[in-house]
């Protein structure tokens, strides 16, 4: 793996190894260990959209491993506007050991990766969120006893769904998307069921994300109407297995895609999931630039 732009940049074996590495990095940290495998390394982080988890988890993860991270706002570098993407890629590569980028257009990340001479990590695009999916798989493995859990994503067939579905299918999980017509997306191996009540039957994991992603604000009214009836609330959770867990990549819009009761309920593991972003990304960094 030279870059991590999509989950499918990893082979199934590489994905399994990455998750195992994340598990051992997490266990080591929890038992008081120190890991300085990124000593002297610098991660450049370019953001064209806001972030809480992605920025903090990469920044703290780098620091914990002895390296450092630079937060670069697109307002400063003007990707493709002040300077061409190809030139930015070649310049930034001369200073840092790895680039993480959150961009509006996935193709811009591909372009940056093509011209960069250091590894590039996708920190969210309109098409994919591979770092999120690694944390999600780590969380599912911690929370589920089943080796082949049924993962039901209720809501928009978006960037988060695509990466989650790719990862889960590679690991042999059963993946279902419950979305209204017009908001489905084809991911080979994933099933589509329009009716959310039917889709969540026997689910081990129920996952949702916002109905209006960053950059789709103009579509908000149409989306609120289209997703009416797709809220993950207590009645929908009751149709899944009693042991089912609730996941959300966050930030959540309570009262829209998820009820406050489910977010705060006993089945919700969303904050463990958020924490796992850091452990998963430390594994990615260790693989890409830590010689592990
Ligand atoms: N889940 C996620 O990527 O969160 P941020 O947008 O806060 O980084
Ligand atoms: N689908 C959301 C995920 C945010 C982490 C978005 O793209 O805004």
């Amino acid at each position: 793996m030279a870059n991590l732009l999509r989950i499918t940049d990893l082979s199934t074996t590489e994905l399994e190894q990455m998750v195992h590495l994340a598990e051992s990095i997490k266990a080591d940290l929890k038992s008081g260990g120190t890991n300085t495998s990124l000593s002297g390394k610098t991660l450049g982080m370019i953001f064209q959209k806001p972030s809480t988890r992605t920025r903090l988890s990469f920044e703290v993860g780098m620091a914990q491993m002895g390296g450092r991270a630079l937060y670069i706002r697109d307002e400063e570098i003007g990707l493709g506007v002040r300077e061409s993407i190809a030139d930015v890629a070649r310049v930034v590569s001369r200073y840092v050991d790895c680039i993480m980028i959150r961009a509006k257009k996935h193709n811009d990340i591909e372009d940056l990766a093509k011209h960069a001479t250091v590894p590039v990590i996708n920190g969210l695009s309109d098409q994919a969120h591979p770092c999120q999916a690694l944390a999600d798989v780590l969380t599912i493995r911690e929370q589920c006893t089943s080796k082949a859990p049924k993962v039901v994503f209720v809501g928009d067939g978006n960037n988060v769904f695509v990466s989650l579905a790719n990862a889960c299918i590679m690991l042999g999980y059963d993946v279902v998307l419950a979305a209204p017509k017009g908001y489905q997306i084809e991911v080979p191996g994933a099933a589509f069921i329009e009716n959310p009540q039917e889709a969540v039957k026997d689910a081990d994991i129920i996952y949702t994300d916002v109905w209006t992603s960053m950059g789709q604000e103009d579509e908000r009214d149409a989306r609120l109407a289209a997703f009416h009836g797709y809220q993950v609330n207590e009645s929908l959770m009751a149709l899944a297995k009693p042991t089912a867990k609730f996941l959300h990549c966050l930030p959540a819009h309570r009262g829209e895609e998820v009820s406050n009761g489910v977010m705060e309920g006993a089945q919700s593991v969303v904050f463990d999931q958020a924490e796992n972003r850091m452990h998963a990304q430390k594994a990615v960094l260790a693989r890409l630039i830590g010689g592990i």
Side-chain angles (χ1 to χ4, degrees):
M1 172 189 60
N3 300 304
L4 180 64
L5 308 190
R6 296 179 181 276
I7 282 293
T8 47
D9 289 342
L10 298 164
S11 66
T12 299
T13 307
E14 284 173 330
L15 173 61
E16 282 166 355
Q17 287 171 347
M18 191 72 83
V19 177
H20 293 151
L21 181 59
E23 285 168 346
S24 85
I25 285 174
K26 180 174 181 178
D28 186 48
L29 181 74
K30 299 283 177 190
S31 64
T34 46
N35 176 338
T36 54
S37 51
L38 298 182
S39 170
K41 303 282 185 188
T42 303
L43 173 71
M45 307 189 296
I46 302 172
F47 282 92
Q48 282 191 327
K49 291 178 176 178
S51 168
T52 301
R53 282 144 289 271
T54 304
R55 177 186 177 178
L56 290 173
S57 55
F58 268 110
E59 199 161 327
V60 176
M62 281 298 293
Q64 286 182 357
M65 295 175 91
R68 61 174 308 195
L70 301 177
Y71 175 63
I72 310 164
R73 293 164 71 239
D74 189 42
E75 286 82 348
E76 298 296 329
I77 57 167
L79 200 67
V81 178
R82 183 168 184 262
E83 199 165 4
S84 75
I85 293 175
D87 286 359
V88 170
R90 287 176 288 180
V91 170
V92 176
S93 297
R94 295 293 180 109
Y95 304 129
V96 305
D97 300 284
C98 184
I99 301 171
M100 192 284 296
I101 174 164
R102 167 166 288 193
K104 292 179 184 162
K105 295 189 200 134
H106 189 85
N107 288 350
D108 288 351
I109 302 186
E110 298 273 359
D111 202 14
L112 186 92
K114 191 170 126 202
H115 294 97
T117 53
V118 297
V120 174
I121 301 170
N122 175 0
L124 181 140
S125 70
D126 52 336
Q127 296 181 15
H129 199 359
C131 297
Q132 181 67 53
L134 292 174
D136 298 342
V137 165
L138 183 58
T139 311
I140 293 170
R141 282 172 55 91
E142 288 171 350
Q143 299 290 341
C144 274
T145 45
S146 167
K147 289 276 166 263
K150 178 176 174 183
V151 178
V152 181
F153 187 101
V154 181
D156 190 19
N158 62 13
N159 45 5
V160 168
F161 169 71
V162 168
S163 294
L164 174 77
N166 284 152
C168 290
I169 288 161
M170 280 163 75
L171 296 175
Y173 302 174
D174 191 7
V175 177
V176 178
L177 170 65
K181 289 214 166 67
Y183 294 92
Q184 309 142 19
I185 189 160
E186 197 58 42
V187 174
F192 167 69
I193 298 178
E194 192 174 351
N195 182 308
Q197 284 77 21
E198 195 187 319
V200 300
K201 244 178 242 160
D202 295 324
D204 295 286
I205 298 291
I206 296 189
Y207 197 127
T208 192
D209 182 16
V210 292
W211 293 336
T212 306
S213 284
M214 292 182 277
Q216 296 175 330
E217 290 77 9
D218 291 352
E219 300 170 29
R220 183 173 153 78
D221 289 347
R223 286 176 164 273
L224 282 180
F227 288 106
H228 181 75
Y230 283 84
Q231 184 186 77
V232 178
N233 51 31
E234 290 82 336
S235 346
L236 196 70
M237 286 301 295
L239 300 175
K241 282 188 184 163
T243 52
K245 302 291 184 204
F246 172 71
L247 273 73
H248 192 311
C249 58
L250 306 180
H253 294 166
R254 293 167 197 237
E256 291 185 18
E257 78 278 1
V258 60
S259 68
N260 188 56
V262 168
M263 275 291 286
E264 299 296 336
Q267 289 165 283
S268 172
V269 294
V270 298
F271 300 111
D272 295 311
Q273 182 187 1
E275 177 188 325
N276 280 339
R277 288 291 304 276
M278 184 177 76
H279 307 301
Q281 287 154 203
K282 284 168 77 175
V284 173
L285 292 163
R287 270 285 138 81
L288 286 176
I289 56 170
I292 292 177

